[in-house]
PDB file of all heavy atoms in Angstrom:
ATOM      1  N   MET A1319       0.848  -1.192   0.000  1.00 96.00           N
ATOM      2  CA  MET A1319       0.000   0.000   0.000  1.00 96.00           C
ATOM      3  C   MET A1319       0.889   1.249   0.000  1.00 96.00           C
ATOM      4  O   MET A1319       1.847   1.342   0.749  1.00 96.00           O
ATOM      5  CB  MET A1319      -0.907   0.014   1.234  1.00 96.00           C
ATOM      6  CG  MET A1319      -1.876   1.197   1.260  1.00 96.00           C
ATOM      7  SD  MET A1319      -2.932   1.182   2.725  1.00 96.00           S
ATOM      8  CE  MET A1319      -1.738   1.643   3.987  1.00 96.00           C
ATOM      9  N   ARG A1320       0.544   2.211  -0.867  1.00 97.00           N
ATOM     10  CA  ARG A1320       1.309   3.450  -0.965  1.00 97.00           C
ATOM     11  C   ARG A1320       0.612   4.552  -0.165  1.00 97.00           C
ATOM     12  O   ARG A1320      -0.609   4.588  -0.063  1.00 97.00           O
ATOM     13  CB  ARG A1320       1.427   3.890  -2.431  1.00 97.00           C
ATOM     14  CG  ARG A1320       2.041   2.860  -3.363  1.00 97.00           C
ATOM     15  CD  ARG A1320       3.489   2.562  -3.010  1.00 97.00           C
ATOM     16  NE  ARG A1320       4.319   3.766  -3.080  1.00 97.00           N
ATOM     17  CZ  ARG A1320       4.911   4.194  -4.189  1.00 97.00           C
ATOM     18  NH1 ARG A1320       4.753   3.523  -5.336  1.00 97.00           N
ATOM     19  NH2 ARG A1320       5.667   5.269  -4.184  1.00 97.00           N
ATOM     20  N   LEU A1321       1.434   5.463   0.382  1.00 98.00           N
ATOM     21  CA  LEU A1321       0.923   6.616   1.111  1.00 98.00           C
ATOM     22  C   LEU A1321       1.452   7.877   0.449  1.00 98.00           C
ATOM     23  O   LEU A1321       2.668   8.040   0.292  1.00 98.00           O
ATOM     24  CB  LEU A1321       1.360   6.575   2.578  1.00 98.00           C
ATOM     25  CG  LEU A1321       1.110   7.852   3.398  1.00 98.00           C
ATOM     26  CD1 LEU A1321      -0.383   8.154   3.466  1.00 98.00           C
ATOM     27  CD2 LEU A1321       1.699   7.720   4.795  1.00 98.00           C
ATOM     28  N   PHE A1322       0.527   8.764   0.055  1.00 98.00           N
ATOM     29  CA  PHE A1322       0.915  10.019  -0.585  1.00 98.00           C
ATOM     30  C   PHE A1322       0.348  11.192   0.199  1.00 98.00           C
ATOM     31  O   PHE A1322      -0.819  11.184   0.592  1.00 98.00           O
ATOM     32  CB  PHE A1322       0.414  10.066  -2.031  1.00 98.00           C
ATOM     33  CG  PHE A1322       0.886   8.909  -2.866  1.00 98.00           C
ATOM     34  CD1 PHE A1322       0.011   7.899  -3.230  1.00 98.00           C
ATOM     35  CD2 PHE A1322       2.207   8.825  -3.265  1.00 98.00           C
ATOM     36  CE1 PHE A1322       0.442   6.819  -3.990  1.00 98.00           C
ATOM     37  CE2 PHE A1322       2.649   7.743  -4.027  1.00 98.00           C
ATOM     38  CZ  PHE A1322       1.766   6.740  -4.389  1.00 98.00           C
ATOM     39  N   THR A1323       1.180  12.199   0.397  1.00 97.00           N
ATOM     40  CA  THR A1323       0.736  13.406   1.100  1.00 97.00           C
ATOM     41  C   THR A1323       0.769  14.628   0.197  1.00 97.00           C
ATOM     42  O   THR A1323       0.370  15.709   0.612  1.00 97.00           O
ATOM     43  CB  THR A1323       1.615  13.669   2.338  1.00 97.00           C
ATOM     44  OG1 THR A1323       2.971  13.857   1.916  1.00 97.00           O
ATOM     45  CG2 THR A1323       1.531  12.508   3.324  1.00 97.00           C
ATOM     46  N   THR A1324       1.249  14.449  -1.032  1.00 98.00           N
ATOM     47  CA  THR A1324       1.320  15.571  -1.965  1.00 98.00           C
ATOM     48  C   THR A1324       0.554  15.260  -3.240  1.00 98.00           C
ATOM     49  O   THR A1324       0.453  14.101  -3.659  1.00 98.00           O
ATOM     50  CB  THR A1324       2.775  15.912  -2.339  1.00 98.00           C
ATOM     51  OG1 THR A1324       3.332  14.814  -3.071  1.00 98.00           O
ATOM     52  CG2 THR A1324       3.604  16.181  -1.094  1.00 98.00           C
ATOM     53  N   ILE A1325       0.061  16.312  -3.856  1.00 97.00           N
ATOM     54  CA  ILE A1325      -0.685  16.173  -5.100  1.00 97.00           C
ATOM     55  C   ILE A1325       0.230  15.658  -6.209  1.00 97.00           C
ATOM     56  O   ILE A1325      -0.163  14.812  -7.018  1.00 97.00           O
ATOM     57  CB  ILE A1325      -1.308  17.530  -5.484  1.00 97.00           C
ATOM     58  CG1 ILE A1325      -2.415  17.897  -4.481  1.00 97.00           C
ATOM     59  CG2 ILE A1325      -1.859  17.499  -6.908  1.00 97.00           C
ATOM     60  CD1 ILE A1325      -2.942  19.308  -4.628  1.00 97.00           C
ATOM     61  N   ALA A1326       1.468  16.147  -6.222  1.00 97.00           N
ATOM     62  CA  ALA A1326       2.413  15.722  -7.272  1.00 97.00           C
ATOM     63  C   ALA A1326       2.645  14.218  -7.219  1.00 97.00           C
ATOM     64  O   ALA A1326       2.651  13.542  -8.256  1.00 97.00           O
ATOM     65  CB  ALA A1326       3.731  16.475  -7.107  1.00 97.00           C
ATOM     66  N   ALA A1327       2.824  13.686  -6.006  1.00 98.00           N
ATOM     67  CA  ALA A1327       3.074  12.242  -5.878  1.00 98.00           C
ATOM     68  C   ALA A1327       1.838  11.436  -6.241  1.00 98.00           C
ATOM     69  O   ALA A1327       1.935  10.380  -6.886  1.00 98.00           O
ATOM     70  CB  ALA A1327       3.509  11.922  -4.448  1.00 98.00           C
ATOM     71  N   LEU A1328       0.676  11.916  -5.833  1.00 98.00           N
ATOM     72  CA  LEU A1328      -0.574  11.226  -6.178  1.00 98.00           C
ATOM     73  C   LEU A1328      -0.747  11.160  -7.687  1.00 98.00           C
ATOM     74  O   LEU A1328      -1.068  10.102  -8.244  1.00 98.00           O
ATOM     75  CB  LEU A1328      -1.759  11.940  -5.538  1.00 98.00           C
ATOM     76  CG  LEU A1328      -3.147  11.410  -5.924  1.00 98.00           C
ATOM     77  CD1 LEU A1328      -3.366  10.017  -5.351  1.00 98.00           C
ATOM     78  CD2 LEU A1328      -4.241  12.364  -5.469  1.00 98.00           C
ATOM     79  N   ARG A1329      -0.533  12.287  -8.345  1.00 97.00           N
ATOM     80  CA  ARG A1329      -0.686  12.311  -9.803  1.00 97.00           C
ATOM     81  C   ARG A1329       0.329  11.399 -10.482  1.00 97.00           C
ATOM     82  O   ARG A1329       0.004  10.721 -11.461  1.00 97.00           O
ATOM     83  CB  ARG A1329      -0.540  13.749 -10.306  1.00 97.00           C
ATOM     84  CG  ARG A1329      -1.786  14.587 -10.061  1.00 97.00           C
ATOM     85  CD  ARG A1329      -1.603  15.994 -10.551  1.00 97.00           C
ATOM     86  NE  ARG A1329      -2.883  16.701 -10.620  1.00 97.00           N
ATOM     87  CZ  ARG A1329      -2.994  18.020 -10.705  1.00 97.00           C
ATOM     88  NH1 ARG A1329      -1.903  18.769 -10.731  1.00 97.00           N
ATOM     89  NH2 ARG A1329      -4.184  18.587 -10.775  1.00 97.00           N
ATOM     90  N   CYS A1330       1.534  11.394  -9.970  1.00 97.00           N
ATOM     91  CA  CYS A1330       2.568  10.518 -10.536  1.00 97.00           C
ATOM     92  C   CYS A1330       2.128   9.068 -10.448  1.00 97.00           C
ATOM     93  O   CYS A1330       2.256   8.306 -11.422  1.00 97.00           O
ATOM     94  CB  CYS A1330       3.885  10.734  -9.800  1.00 97.00           C
ATOM     95  SG  CYS A1330       5.239   9.695 -10.381  1.00 97.00           S
ATOM     96  N   TYR A1331       1.613   8.682  -9.288  1.00 97.00           N
ATOM     97  CA  TYR A1331       1.157   7.303  -9.082  1.00 97.00           C
ATOM     98  C   TYR A1331       0.018   6.954 -10.039  1.00 97.00           C
ATOM     99  O   TYR A1331       0.054   5.916 -10.719  1.00 97.00           O
ATOM    100  CB  TYR A1331       0.697   7.134  -7.641  1.00 97.00           C
ATOM    101  CG  TYR A1331      -0.014   5.828  -7.368  1.00 97.00           C
ATOM    102  CD1 TYR A1331       0.674   4.631  -7.262  1.00 97.00           C
ATOM    103  CD2 TYR A1331      -1.411   5.800  -7.203  1.00 97.00           C
ATOM    104  CE1 TYR A1331       0.026   3.431  -7.007  1.00 97.00           C
ATOM    105  CE2 TYR A1331      -2.074   4.612  -6.952  1.00 97.00           C
ATOM    106  CZ  TYR A1331      -1.361   3.433  -6.853  1.00 97.00           C
ATOM    107  OH  TYR A1331      -2.015   2.253  -6.611  1.00 97.00           O
TER     108      TYR A1331
END
Side-chain angles (χ1 to χ4, degrees):
M1319 183 180 72
R1320 304 296 300 273
L1321 169 62
F1322 304 107
T1323 60
T1324 66
I1325 291 171
L1328 174 68
R1329 283 179 166 163
C1330 179
Y1331 170 75

